[in-house]
Amino acid sequence: MVRAVCPGSFDPVTYGHLDIIERSVAMFDSVIVAVGSNVAKNALFTPAERVEMLTEVCAGWPSVAVTQFSGLLVDFCRAQGAAVISKGLRSGDVEFELAMAQMNRRLTEVDTVLLPTAAHWSYVSSSLVREVAGLGGDIDAFLPPPVAERTRRRVGERLSPS
Ligand code: PNS
């Protein structure tokens, strides 16, 4: 049985992430979607909120579990019995992702599968979606409906705190 971890910030989860999770589901017996819990200063959602949204949108895949992690990703993988890290790769990310994959393998033998992002999602990132949402743009093409709704609401709260 091969278990893979799909790690990320998922702030918020996009259709690009879901494409990688779906392809990982097809390749591995079990998939843990792992939300990094290092709180970035400009994060839109807390790690717990991201887990909640991911759990909702991944509900159709019985082999997927969603959880937070902190500390080294490879320590989390070992603790979960996962031999593989499965991640999406955009063209601009190659050097950084390669270095992380090599470092993670050097640390623990946990290997990384880098899946080329689907061409039609290659320009989509959580940070760009946050920026578009913050400036009032339409984000419905990039996020599942419940995530888009929560993103709009959170951006609105940030812009006009009560
Ligand atoms: O969606 P992101 O922001 O690209 O996700 C980054 C994440 C959480 C996967 C990455 O920062 C990570 O692996 N953090 C855990 C800390 C760690 O193991 N650092 C060493 C990397 S070689």
Side-chain angles (χ1 to χ4, degrees):
M1 199 204 72
V2 181
R3 171 170 289 166
V5 167
C6 286
S9 302
F10 304 106
D11 185 39
V13 56
T14 67
Y15 283 130
H17 293 128
L18 289 179
D19 175 61
I20 297 300
I21 295 168
E22 182 172 37
R23 287 157 66 193
S24 302
V25 164
M27 273 187 288
F28 303 107
D29 302 297
S30 123
V31 173
I32 300 177
V33 177
V35 177
S37 56
N38 297 345
V39 180
K41 270 189 198 153
N42 62 347
L44 195 57
F45 294 103
T46 65
E49 289 172 326
R50 296 178 220 166
V51 167
E52 200 176 282
M53 287 186 276
L54 276 159
T55 302
E56 182 177 357
V57 298
C58 293
W61 294 307
S63 61
V64 172
V66 183
T67 188
Q68 281 181 49
F69 78 100
S70 56
L72 275 181
L73 176 59
V74 285
D75 287 343
F76 174 79
C77 290
R78 255 202 307 220
Q80 298 292 325
V84 178
I85 296 166
S86 181
K87 293 187 84 176
L89 184 69
R90 285 181 299 233
S91 58
D93 302 336
V94 173
E95 282 185 25
F96 186 53
E97 291 295 344
L98 188 60
M100 281 203 289
Q102 289 166 329
M103 175 61 81
N104 285 332
R105 181 146 189 268
R106 175 69 179 73
L107 289 173
T108 56
E109 297 285 306
V110 172
D111 223 331
T112 300
V113 170
L114 294 171
L115 297 171
T117 316
H120 53 286
W121 298 127
S122 63
Y123 60 95
V124 176
S125 66
S126 298
S127 56
L128 273 185
V129 169
R130 290 197 303 272
E131 183 170 338
V132 171
L135 295 169
D138 185 353
I139 52 172
D140 286 327
F142 317 119
L143 308 179
V147 178
E149 192 46 50
R150 282 181 74 158
T151 300
R152 266 190 291 275
R153 214 179 321 137
R154 178 57 51 86
V155 164
E157 288 162 7
R158 289 275 170 90
L159 290 175
S160 50
S162 51

